[in-house]
Amino acid sequence: MSPAYPLRSIVYTALFVALISVGAFIAIPIGPVPIVLQNMFVLLAGLILGPAWGLSCVAVYLLVGLAGLPVFAGGTSGIGKLFGPTGGYLLGYLPAVFVTGTLSDWLGKRPVFDILSLTAGSVVVYAAGVPWLKIAFTMSWGKAMAAGMMPFLAGDVIKIAAAAAIAGKIRPFVRL
Amino acid sequence: MAALNLFAFRAGTTALHRLDVRTKMVLVCMVSLAILAADFTGCLACFLVLYGLIRTIGISFIRLLAQLKWFILLLIIMLLTSSLTIPGTPVFSLSGVMVTQEGMARGALVAVRFFLVMMTGLLFSATTRPTALKSAAQWFLRPIPLVPEKRVAIMISLFLRFLPLILDQAQQTSDAVNARCGNLHKNPVRRIRCLTLPVMKKTFMAADNLCLAMDARCFTEDRTDPAFEKGGKERVFLAAGGGLCLGMVWQAKVSFWMTFWS
């Protein structure tokens, strides 16, 4: 394979764009609120692809949704969704994947560091999403956090644990 | 694939199928923004137009509802949550739980907007060939500096190739896990791992095979630029779509000021 042309990275990036899109449709029923795997794949893209390709991956995902393909959660799409009340979470994926990838590169590829990187990425998603939600609905910080963060924290812990386990198993297959 | 059957491209010869993909993308953006600003009247007008267009491509209302039953359930949960959490004039209360008029109105409007955005996406994806979408993305990104538009277009075409593959493999793996009573595991991390790990292994192996096949065929980014087919009604659709969007936004503003002054 030609060393100048990053064909493998391009293919893997496209694969993660597809995984993120499919993650919006795959729901694992655990209790009354199902876990949607979309943000787990976003953070996993940072771990596996690194910051630059991870960022490209999320940018392409947002572009595809912006273009009109129904890849956002619940089969939605379009610029209205991207700049709507939950748009902060979607746009927050960009810095989140970058932070996850950068931390993973700095700290190393051990499971405990993966968990740290994934946690930092999750924090970035909420740091972008909750203030956006607060402004969009003109609600107090307490209500914004109660509506846009608290119900998902338990699911996030599960997703971080699962993503760290998956990253450890998947890395040997990925030859970037 | 079942989850996305409705969103798959449906071959046809309708005006929407023949419309230039770039025009369709501009219309999707305009309608999505107008839906965000519209109130119930505007949303109703938008629904009628979108439903009429969906009927022209051969999707019945019953099929639409049947395929979107889980999505509609999500919208109902959203409506209930808003009704119970947003303070306002009580409609009725039961054991201390109060359903408010304002909450119901707000929740219903958000649910209707979600449904309309989904209908817009459905119309777009059902009448647009994946290759046309890739070409349009490349065309729109060309003027933006520092963005490798050909590379992005390749990623979009690969993404469209991987999407059905992953869905099929996820369905097969899910069936296999359930057949082995994997769905009865109490540990949620184990359940996620049981589903995603085999799917990801299989898809990464498929991606590796694709890399080898592309490399063996000397794949490069220097490919023939896309040609766009115009149906001849682009201006009509843009004018009609623009009129609808302006009407929706104007109606919402007028309605807001009338309520404000009264």
Side-chain angles (χ1 to χ4, degrees), chain B residues 6-41:
Chain B
L6 199 63
F7 292 97
F9 172 71
R10 300 165 67 90
T13 55
T14 65
L16 265 182
H17 281 89
R18 290 196 303 271
L19 198 64
D20 189 314
V21 62
R22 293 165 295 180
T23 311
K24 274 193 259 189
M25 284 171 84
V26 171
L27 281 170
V28 166
C29 287
M30 279 164 46
V31 172
S32 297
L33 285 175
I35 287 169
L36 262 190
D39 65 3
F40 279 112
T41 316

Side-chain angles (χ1 to χ4, degrees), chain B residues 92-170:
Chain B
F92 67 88
S93 76
L94 189 70
S95 309
V97 180
M98 193 168 64
V99 174
T100 64
Q101 208 174 338
E102 287 79 359
M104 282 176 73
R106 183 79 169 263
L109 186 60
V110 172
V112 166
R113 282 174 178 169
F114 260 86
F115 191 72
L116 290 176
V117 167
M118 191 276 313
M119 281 175 80
T120 312
L122 185 152
L123 258 180
F124 178 77
S125 54
T127 59
T128 309
R129 284 186 189 281
T131 47
L133 177 73
K134 175 207 152 201
S135 309
Q138 186 174 333
W139 188 85
F140 276 113
L141 291 175
R142 193 171 296 153
I144 303 173
L146 302 174
V147 174
E149 78 276 1
K150 288 186 175 177
R151 190 168 288 185
V152 173
I154 290 167
M155 284 185 201
I156 291 175
S157 65
L158 288 171
F159 149 75
L160 292 166
R161 184 194 179 283
F162 281 128
L163 203 58
L165 179 82
I166 295 170
L167 285 167
D168 282 342
Q169 286 182 346

Side-chain angles (χ1 to χ4, degrees), chain B residues 148 179 190 231 260:
Chain B
R190 194 184 160 98
F260 183 78

Side-chain angles (χ1 to χ4, degrees), chain B residues 181-257:
Chain B
C181 299
N183 53 338
L184 301 178
H185 280 305
K186 297 285 182 200
N187 185 344
V189 176
R190 194 184 160 98
R191 283 176 68 177
I192 295 177
R193 278 184 63 185
C194 283
L195 180 66
T196 50
L197 211 56
V199 173
M200 289 191 74
K201 268 186 189 175
K202 281 184 193 172
T203 48
F204 271 92
M205 283 156 81
D208 254 358
N209 289 337
L210 184 69
C211 284
L212 288 173
M214 288 170 81
D215 198 42
R217 287 158 182 78
C218 304
F219 184 86
T220 65
E221 286 175 5
D222 298 321
R223 303 172 75 80
T224 312
D225 276 344
F228 293 101
E229 290 174 18
K230 289 187 178 176
K233 290 183 178 170
E234 281 73 21
R235 287 182 184 176
V236 176
F237 270 89
L238 273 177
L244 174 71
C245 294
L246 282 176
M248 284 162 69
V249 176
W250 180 77
Q251 196 276 330
K253 296 288 172 208
V254 168
S255 174
F256 172 78
W257 284 111

Side-chain angles (χ1 to χ4, degrees), chain A residues 1-2 5-15 49 53 173-176, chain B residues 158 162 204-205 207-212 214-215:
Chain A
M1 198 167 290
S2 164
Y5 188 63
L7 180 60
R8 206 175 283 275
S9 298
I10 291 172
V11 172
Y12 285 148
T13 303
L15 178 60
L49 301 174
W53 285 104
F173 292 93
V174 182
R175 289 168 290 150
L176 286 170
Chain B
L158 288 171
F162 281 128
F204 271 92
M205 283 156 81
D208 254 358
N209 289 337
L210 184 69
C211 284
L212 288 173
M214 288 170 81
D215 198 42

